[in-house]
């Protein structure tokens, strides 16, 4: 059974970097059949896909156009986890952030969610 | 970008009622459409994938149909535990995917 456990701060100051980690159990971040995503949810933007990392003989990343200049998603094979970094945050980045595993577009496994508030 | 719309935005129905939600894509997405249920304070849960396939462990009162741009999600007999917000999600233009705005279902 795949389980995803998120960790990271719930409060980030404007202009700073939002950092979250998602620890994986029951699967491998290096799996050739899964992709590891970050998705966020806010009242104003709804559910918004941010990006993903996945391994198919080498590592790939894809990012949403809306955050492409500010986002990095990295796998950590030694700890079987992946991370999100979102730079230069503003109050518009306040949201519940989820890590998630998808199988060809269907997100069957989600982390518990982390409410991140951007405020001074 | 592919835009997703859902209707209605909310509905109230009685226990045992048949509930139908529609989802429309701004362009043809074949059957690349999933449905999720989200309860307050929880992550979304996958119910239907590829427009009409029931995810393992999901009750058979949930079903989906459609292809192209028009899709339907049905609860054949509404139960109290079905109170939630339901989202459609397209994945025709991977790598990213797009969710609909959601339909909130309440008990009358």
């Amino acid at each position: 059974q795949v389980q995803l456990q998120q960790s990271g701060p719930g409060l980030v100051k404007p202009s700073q970097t939002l950092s979250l980690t998602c620890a994986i159990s029951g699967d491998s971040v290096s799996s050739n059949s899964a992709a590891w995503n970050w998705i966020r949810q806010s009242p104003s933007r709804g559910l918004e896909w941010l990006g993903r990392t996945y391994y198919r003989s080498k590592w790939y990343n894809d990012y949403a156009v809306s955050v492409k200049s500010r986002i990095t998603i990295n796998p950590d094979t030694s700890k079987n986890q992946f991370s999100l970094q979102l730079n230069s945050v503003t109050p518009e980045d306040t949201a519940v952030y989820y890590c998630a595993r998808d199988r060809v577009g269907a997100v069957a496994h989600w982390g518990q969610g982390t409410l991140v508030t951007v405020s001074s | 970008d592919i835009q997703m719309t859902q209707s209605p935005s909310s509905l109230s129905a009685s226990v045992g009622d048949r509930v139908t939600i529609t989802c429309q894509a701004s362009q043809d997405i074949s059957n690349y459409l999933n449905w999720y249920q989200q309860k307050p304070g929880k992550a979304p849960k996958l119910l239907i994938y590829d427009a009409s396939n029931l995810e393992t462990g999901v009750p058979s009162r949930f079903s989906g149909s459609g292809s192209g741009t028009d899709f339907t999600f049905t609860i054949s007999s509404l139960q109290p535990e079905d109170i939630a917000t339901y989202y459609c999600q397209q994945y025709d233009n991977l790598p990213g995917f797009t969710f609909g705005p959601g339909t909130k279902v309440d008990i009358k």
Side-chain angles (χ1 to χ4, degrees):
Chain A
Q1 174 74 344
V2 177
Q3 293 189 326
L4 305 176
Q5 181 67 39
Q6 300 177 216
S7 59
L11 180 64
V12 181
K13 289 182 167 48
S15 80
Q16 295 194 343
T17 297
L18 181 161
S19 297
L20 296 173
T21 300
C22 183
I24 303 163
S25 58
D27 200 352
S28 169
V29 71
S30 304
S31 166
N32 275 295
S33 60
W36 306 98
N37 300 263
W38 288 97
I39 296 166
R40 68 183 178 184
Q41 184 175 28
S42 65
S44 59
R45 301 171 77 99
L47 284 159
E48 180 184 15
W49 177 81
L50 298 176
R52 66 177 186 172
T53 189
Y54 60 100
Y55 185 78
R56 301 288 187 270
S57 301
K58 68 174 186 176
W59 288 101
Y60 294 88
N61 289 98
D62 299 304
Y63 300 127
V65 170
S66 61
V67 295
K68 192 166 187 176
S69 63
R70 301 192 289 133
I71 190 173
T72 304
I73 296 176
N74 281 326
D76 182 341
T77 57
S78 66
K79 296 181 178 178
N80 200 31
Q81 63 187 29
F82 62 108
S83 64
L84 166 69
Q85 287 195 308
L86 188 65
N87 302 326
S88 305
V89 295
T90 72
E92 288 291 304
D93 294 309
T94 294
V96 176
Y97 286 75
Y98 293 101
C99 61
R101 176 191 185 273
D102 87 83
R103 57 168 206 264
V104 197
V107 184
H109 299 96
W110 299 71
Q112 78 275 24
T114 301
L115 173 60
V116 178
T117 301
V118 178
S119 175
S120 54
Chain B
D1 282 7
I2 300 175
Q3 306 302 316
M4 308 300 293
T5 57
Q6 284 182 237
S7 61
S9 57
S10 65
L11 65 90
S12 290
S14 300
V15 172
D17 281 356
R18 184 180 185 86
V19 169
T20 299
I21 298 168
T22 62
C23 176
Q24 188 168 57
S26 59
Q27 64 190 65
D28 189 332
I29 59 169
S30 184
N31 68 330
Y32 300 139
L33 192 284
N34 305 317
W35 289 95
Y36 298 82
Q37 175 193 66
Q38 186 177 33
K39 296 183 178 180
K42 300 292 188 183
K45 174 186 176 183
L46 178 66
L47 299 180
I48 303 287
Y49 65 94
D50 295 348
S52 60
N53 295 299
L54 196 66
E55 179 71 354
T56 303
V58 173
S60 59
R61 63 180 180 275
F62 296 103
S63 65
S65 64
S67 67
T69 60
D70 296 303
F71 301 86
T72 300
F73 172 80
T74 300
I75 307 172
S76 61
S77 176
L78 185 68
Q79 300 302 304
E81 60 267 31
D82 300 336
I83 300 313
T85 301
Y86 293 84
Y87 295 93
C88 59
Q89 171 241 328
Q90 69 80 23
Y91 63 98
D92 180 63
N93 64 338
L94 287 173
F97 29 80
T98 313
F99 294 86
T103 296
K104 188 174 182 180
V105 175
D106 279 330
I107 295 286
K108 192 182 295 182

